[in-house]
């Protein structure tokens, strides 16, 4: 009995549930029908879909501002790589202009220095001394005085006249006067002692040379031999010599023993 009642109750509840569900379906259909008859104030599904696609397309398009930033980053990478790479030495042919410029500056400085030195020397009285600057003139007077000293201070007891003639050709003024006095004694004693004297210039220096006037320092080596007993002797002499240039060459105008 109880089981039958339960079945009946369940059977009675089933149509009620069906009716309630059917009512809900009808109510839903009516509500949809009412909404379809109302004015279209909301976008349709198609319009909504088109709008959504447009928004998505606009969002999907790349922004032009971002491109330069990416390009800058791409350019920055090679720049950083170049900065990190070690600097290569410049070839020699690229350094050549700089070397030539440096050499030109050095030569210019040297030229200025030599010019200033030349001007300074020209303003100095010592610059007029040709013994310091004129090699040819110095050699000329040196040769003439050396030859004269060798001749006038060398003699043989039996040929004194040869020495006198040589002295007369190269001596002038006070030099001739002092030499004549000295050689007068030689003419007396040389034949008695049978003396032969040989003199040679060992050293000569031109101290001053300008305007045809020269002052020299002369060192003589002398050796004497007596023919009667073959005795020999040697000595050294030092002289200050003054010479003047004439049309015939250099002549000695002063002789001073030192």
């Amino acid at each position: 009995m109880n089981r039958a009642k339960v079945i009946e109750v369940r059977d009675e509840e089933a149509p009620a549930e069906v009716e309630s569900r059917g009512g809900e379906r009808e109510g839903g259909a009516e509500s949809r029908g009412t909404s379809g008859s109302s004015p279209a104030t909301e976008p349709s599904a198609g319009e909504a879909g088109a709008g959504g696609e447009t928004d998505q397309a606009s969002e999907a398009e790349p922004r032009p501002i971002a491109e330069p930033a990416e390009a800058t980053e791409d350019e920055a990478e090679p720049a950083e790589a170049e900065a990190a790479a070690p600097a290569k030495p410049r070839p020699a042919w690229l350094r050549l202009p700089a070397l030539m410029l440096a050499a030109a500056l050095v030569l210019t400085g040297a030229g200025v220095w030599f010019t200033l030195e030349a001007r300074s020397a020209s303003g100095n009285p010592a610059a007029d001394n040709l013994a310091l600057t004129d090699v040819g003139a110095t050699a000329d007077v040196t040769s003439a005085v050396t030859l004269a000293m060798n001749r006038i201070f060398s003699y043989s007891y039996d040929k004194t006249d040869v020495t006198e003639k040589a002295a007369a050709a190269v001596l002038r003024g006070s030099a001739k006067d002092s030499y004549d006095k000295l050689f007068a004694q030689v003419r007396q004693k040389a034949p008695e002692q049978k003396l032969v004297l040989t003199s040679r210039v060992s050293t000569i220096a031109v101290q001053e040379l300008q305007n045809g006037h020269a002052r020299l320092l002369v060192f003589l080596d002398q050796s004497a031999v007596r023919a009667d007993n073959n005795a020999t002797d040697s000595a050294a002499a030092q002289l200050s010599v003054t010479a003047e240039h004439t049309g015939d060459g250099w002549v000695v105008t002063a002789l001073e023993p030192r």
Side-chain angles (χ1 to χ4, degrees):
M1 291 292 291
N2 292 334
R3 185 178 179 183
K5 290 181 179 180
V6 171
I7 295 171
E8 291 177 354
V9 172
R10 290 180 177 177
D11 294 335
E12 291 176 355
E13 290 177 355
E17 290 176 359
V18 171
E19 291 177 358
S20 63
R21 292 176 180 176
E24 289 175 358
R25 293 176 180 175
E26 292 176 356
E30 290 176 357
S31 64
R32 287 193 297 271
T34 305
S35 61
S37 62
S38 61
T41 58
E42 297 179 359
S44 62
E47 294 175 353
E53 293 176 357
T54 304
D55 294 339
Q56 292 176 359
S58 62
E59 293 177 356
E61 291 180 356
R63 297 182 180 180
I65 300 175
E67 293 180 357
E70 294 177 358
T72 304
E73 292 178 358
D74 295 339
E75 293 175 356
E77 292 179 358
E80 292 177 357
E82 291 178 359
K88 296 181 179 179
R90 298 178 64 190
W93 63 270
L94 289 178
R95 298 194 302 268
L96 184 59
L99 295 175
M100 293 179 65
L101 178 60
L105 292 176
V106 171
L107 292 176
T108 301
V112 172
W113 183 83
F114 281 118
T115 301
L116 294 177
E117 287 295 319
R119 290 180 179 177
S120 176
S122 63
N124 189 351
D128 295 333
N129 187 0
L130 299 181
L132 304 176
T133 59
D134 194 333
V135 177
T138 302
D140 186 25
V141 67
T142 298
S143 176
V145 172
T146 298
L147 185 59
M149 296 299 104
N150 289 341
R151 287 180 176 178
I152 66 176
F153 288 108
S154 297
Y155 59 85
S156 176
Y157 68 94
D158 56 350
K159 297 178 180 178
T160 56
D161 57 332
V162 174
T163 302
E164 287 182 316
K165 289 179 181 179
V170 298
L171 297 180
R172 301 287 187 276
S174 63
K176 189 176 185 307
D177 295 339
S178 61
Y179 181 84
D180 287 344
K181 291 179 181 179
L182 176 63
F183 202 74
Q185 299 176 7
V186 171
R187 280 197 305 268
Q188 292 178 358
K189 295 181 179 179
E192 295 177 1
Q193 299 175 355
K194 299 184 184 303
L195 188 62
V196 177
L197 180 67
T198 303
S199 297
R200 292 291 180 266
V201 173
S202 60
T203 305
I204 185 170
V206 181
Q207 297 174 308
E208 181 182 350
L209 175 59
Q210 58 181 349
N211 300 325
H213 175 85
R215 288 192 304 107
L216 305 93
L217 185 61
V218 179
F219 293 87
L220 289 172
D221 287 336
Q222 295 179 314
S223 60
V225 178
R226 293 187 61 171
D228 58 349
N229 58 8
N230 292 326
T232 61
D233 193 7
S234 62
Q238 181 177 347
L239 301 170
S240 291
V241 179
T242 302
E244 300 288 341
H245 191 272
T246 64
D248 297 330
W250 288 94
V251 294
V252 176
T253 58
L255 286 172
E256 297 179 5
R258 294 176 66 89

